[in-house]
Amino acid sequence: MESEPPIETVLQALQALYNNPDKAGKEQASVWLGELQRSVCAWQISDQLLRQQHTLESCYFAAQTMRTKIQYSFHELPTDSHAFLKDSLLEHAGKISGDTQAIIVTQLSLALADLALLMASWKDATLELVQRFGTNVHQLPFLLEVLTVLPEEVNSRSLRLGSNRRSEVMEDLTKASSVVLQLLTACLETCANDPRAQAKVFRCMGSWFALGVVQDDCITHNKLLMAPFQVLVVQDCPSVLHEAATDCICSALYCADDLRKHLQLAEALYHGSLTLQEAYHMTVALEDTDKSINFCRIFTELAESLLEAIVDTPNQGLGDLRILEILLTCVGHHLYEVTEITFNFWYRLSEDLYQRSQDMLTDVFKPYIQRLIIALCHHCQMDTDHEGVPDESDDFGEFRIRVSELIKDVIFVVGSSRCFNQMFENLKSQTSTTSWEVTEASLFVMSAVAKNLLPEENEIVPEVVNAILSIPDTAHVSVRHTSVRLFGELSEWIEKHPEFLDPVLQFLLRGLQDPKLATVAANSLQSISTTCREKMIDHFQGLLQIVQAIDSFNLSSEAAIGLLKGTATILGRLPCDKVGDGLTQLCSYQLLPLNKIIATDNNKPKQGSTDDPTIWLDRLAAIFRHTNPTVTNGTSHPCLAAIQEVWPVLSQACEKYQADIRIVERCCRCIRFAIRCLGKSSASLLNPLVSQMITLYQVHQHSCFLYLGSILVDEYGMEAACQPGLLNMLQAFCVPTFKILEEHNGLRNHPDTVDDLFRLCLRFVQRATLPYLECAMAKPILCCAIAACSLDHRDANASVMKYLTDFLSCATRKEDKDDFAAKQTLVKALLTEHGQALVNALVNGCIFSLPTFMTVDIGEVIYELMVIDRPVFCKWLETMLKSLQTESSGGAVTATHKQLTDFHKALTSAENVKQVSNALRDFARLFR
């Protein structure tokens, strides 16, 4: 937008956006207003709209625009205009009344809060806001809103305050906290009969607690701290106030997590929380679920905050184990949604106990974990009138999955065998009148711990297995479903007890023929086939018959692939002369329907339909992936003939469906596993495959071709005769790849291409180092890697960094003495030209673009640069740091000269990758 539009034009666009019934008109107005918000003139326009207050929509648009401009485009304003912006916002805020819409109040509050954080010259902003708006009762709601969002915005990623400015702000807020608490205390006294106003006070107080800027000596003796507890025990406390008080207490408990720093606060909150037990029981009696959930959140947060004391000094002081009793009371709530709130505490407790590994300490908590598991078993019971098998996709099914994961985490405290035995005793004690859901829930818990049992166990498990084998077909289908699943979990035990293999297989085969049990039976059959593969050799022909009839069973596609995986695993254990025929048979069952589909005229089959080739491609991929026969050197590969029969079909599929990325990806995946299966024996496929890949990639830049190319380089890159052809393939790939990556936002729009390109280049560095460094593409690929250093896609960036690390290590790794000097010369020549740009990109990416966890990968690249030539790297880094802007747009010092010097010293003197990564991480905080 080149010039500022008349205010009337803006109002017309807003009218069209909100009130025009014409959809095209709405879209056009939305696009135009979006461009306006991104333009520099949006500052002036939004200020005018707020002054004129034409409509609710115009005021909201103006307030929201002002907020986003401050948040994302504050750099557009010259420093001398900051004070004018501040005065303008304060003036607008002063006009807020009880009639002003809440959404406008919130946006203006955020705008003012963000400005106070960014504008370094605005000293004591909090105190000024309190003085300006704290004496007018009509402006108190706005003041409370500003004071609520101000602490919340301190750690906003979009503001990027930097650690220096953030420290200043934290110091100012800590200093102002006593004044804010006085204000909140006064507000609470004057609004004793106004639940909504009280809720605003609690939300504000919670916000200050969450940031950790409330000083203990200011709050622990202040009646304000007990106020939220007092409203929570009132039976008819309004929901909005109940939730706000709960959030406030939870924020305070989170703040008190550091007991050494906040002991007084923790003790006060501990005693306050204990007063809520009776109120919780009343919500349970009244079936007020929302309030029960609120109380459970408080009790859980209390337990998490005091976890260290609970484990260090159980039943002493703040290590009071009554807290666990209260939590178990919540676990016993009739609704699983309440129970689930406590899960994170049990995870943390089990992790702490596991790390300490002290039997006496673990024994203290054993009774609590036993009660937890019993309660969880009860919660996992399905409704008596439930029909069919357990549904893992609904809310209750997902809850049961989380229960299973939690039990696996905590089971070491009580012991898997003991739990398994306890559940079996439950089963044995049940009578003919016992509901089926009780039996099923016990079996479900047993399946959660089955993998943790010692495979040599000989007392309880044989009884359990025999009991399950005797379950009649008339039993509830859910009981049979969970029993079948349990056998899959017991596969390691069955492997050590082969006498049970045949009856278990018969049981699973019966399940396979039941449409409701087929999928879970197939999954268990896969688990047993994979684990007991040596003992399943004699059953291979039977499995082949099952695979041949696989589509007659009611199986999910994942379960069908699982069966093929198990069968292929056993195939690889057959004598070598039997493998080829077995693989040919397995493949033939997939090739017949695939050939029929390819022969049709349909080039765009519907996903999941009967004519979708991906069904059969996925199955072939599973077969090739898991067929791993032992091949003696000098003998022909037993799978070669079968795969040579499959190759023409895969080639035809690639050709026919070349425009369909979904199908082409499956073809490439299938070919990849076929090549991995054959290894060097796939040489006959190399030339036709590379030729076809190059041809198709010129038309359709599917990144899976790049990935498949990396597989070929991995297998054949060290073969001198293959290197020229592979390098030609690389060059053919790079031309169209660079073209799409050089488009506007090309790297960000094509992360898969970046990922697969640098996987391919990495394989060349690892397998054909010198030929690659000598080829013409090495330089443009390095330039592309430099451009991709700031790409915040996790996998793509990791591939780029891994490539750069290995590329640079070519100049220091002396594994191949004959070629080392040549490699070193080539790498150093490229760095002479591009080293400075690389250092700039790495450091800039680290501090401006990438999340903290990616720092380690960048650290590895920088460390390799220093290993090559530390003095030169020192100069590159110094040049880079001198170019950095060390003052924010708000006037705050981002990095002092000393901090820059300290970083330079820390980085250039680092002796390992960890030290480099730590220095980068600490430095990046200055800019975030």
Side-chain angles (χ1 to χ4, degrees), residues 654-655 658 661 664 668 689-709 729-741 750 752-754 756-757 760:
C654 279
E655 186 68 36
Q658 58 180 276
I661 178 63
V664 172
C668 287
L689 174 56
V690 169
S691 177
Q692 184 173 33
M693 287 165 59
I694 290 173
T695 301
L696 293 178
Y697 194 76
Q698 305 307 308
V699 185
H700 305 284
Q701 286 79 49
H702 300 317
S703 71
C704 52
F705 289 124
L706 300 176
Y707 187 87
L708 187 52
M729 175 189 73
L730 175 65
Q731 183 159 0
F733 280 157
C734 281
V735 174
T737 301
F738 289 159
K739 187 175 181 180
I740 62 171
L741 295 183
H750 302 281
D752 291 342
T753 300
V754 176
D756 292 330
L757 171 66
L760 171 60

Side-chain angles (χ1 to χ4, degrees), residues 122-344:
W122 188 358
K123 303 298 182 184
D124 297 322
T126 306
L127 298 177
E128 182 178 337
L129 290 168
V130 172
Q131 289 168 3
R132 182 162 185 146
F133 300 107
T135 55
N136 187 332
V137 68
H138 299 295
Q139 292 178 329
L140 277 177
F142 169 75
L143 177 59
L144 289 176
E145 186 72 18
V146 175
L147 294 178
T148 300
V149 299
L150 184 61
E152 293 172 350
E153 291 291 286
V154 170
N155 292 306
S156 167
R157 290 185 178 182
S158 54
L159 290 183
R160 300 183 71 91
L161 292 180
S163 59
N164 287 333
R165 175 59 181 160
R166 194 174 292 109
S167 296
E168 285 179 14
V169 169
M170 294 284 283
E171 192 176 318
D172 287 346
L173 293 180
T174 302
K175 186 172 64 175
S177 63
S178 59
V179 174
V180 173
L181 292 177
Q182 290 173 14
L183 173 73
L184 296 178
T185 304
C187 288
L188 207 57
E189 289 173 353
T190 58
C191 65
N193 298 318
D194 186 347
R196 291 194 174 277
Q198 286 178 294
K200 284 180 179 291
V201 171
F202 290 145
R203 274 199 291 271
C204 184
M205 183 163 64
S207 178
W208 284 69
F209 270 129
L211 190 62
V213 289
V214 177
Q215 296 170 298
D216 278 22
D217 54 355
C218 292
I219 190 64
T220 49
H221 303 297
N222 190 324
K223 59 183 179 181
L224 187 64
L225 182 61
M226 288 298 112
F229 292 102
Q230 291 163 0
V231 303
L232 287 175
V233 297
V234 177
Q235 185 174 324
D236 58 351
C237 175
S239 296
V240 64
L241 180 56
H242 202 281
E243 186 167 350
T246 298
D247 291 341
C248 178
I249 293 171
C250 287
S251 294
L253 284 166
Y254 182 79
C255 175
D257 188 71
D258 186 347
L259 296 180
R260 283 173 288 276
K261 187 177 178 182
H262 298 291
L263 182 60
Q264 281 185 306
L265 177 61
E267 288 175 340
L269 293 169
Y270 159 71
H271 291 296
S273 299
L274 291 184
T275 66
L276 303 177
Q277 295 177 75
E278 187 177 338
Y280 166 73
H281 289 301
M282 186 59 67
T283 65
V284 176
L286 296 173
E287 296 187 358
D288 192 336
T289 304
D290 290 341
K291 289 183 179 178
S292 294
I293 287 174
N294 286 340
F295 284 122
C296 186
R297 285 173 53 209
I298 292 172
F299 297 142
T300 302
E301 197 68 59
L302 174 69
E304 292 201 55
S305 294
L306 302 183
L307 177 60
E308 186 179 347
I310 290 171
V311 179
D312 281 344
T313 55
N315 261 336
Q316 297 177 36
L318 292 178
D320 190 349
L321 293 183
R322 279 185 299 169
I323 297 170
L324 299 194
E325 295 286 351
I326 296 171
L327 270 198
L328 285 171
T329 302
C330 293
V331 170
H333 193 281
H334 64 281
L335 293 176
Y336 69 81
E337 291 90 346
V338 179
T339 300
E340 196 169 7
I341 294 168
T342 70
F343 279 16
N344 195 58

Side-chain angles (χ1 to χ4, degrees), residues 855-856 858-860 862-863 866 870 902-923:
T855 306
V856 175
I858 291 180
E860 290 181 355
I862 286 179
Y863 183 73
M866 289 197 293
R870 198 174 289 250
D902 288 346
F903 170 63
H904 187 280
K905 181 179 179 181
L907 197 61
T908 55
S909 62
E911 296 181 358
N912 54 56
V913 173
K914 186 175 181 180
Q915 290 175 351
V916 172
S917 299
N918 289 342
L920 287 169
R921 185 190 63 239
D922 294 342
F923 187 63

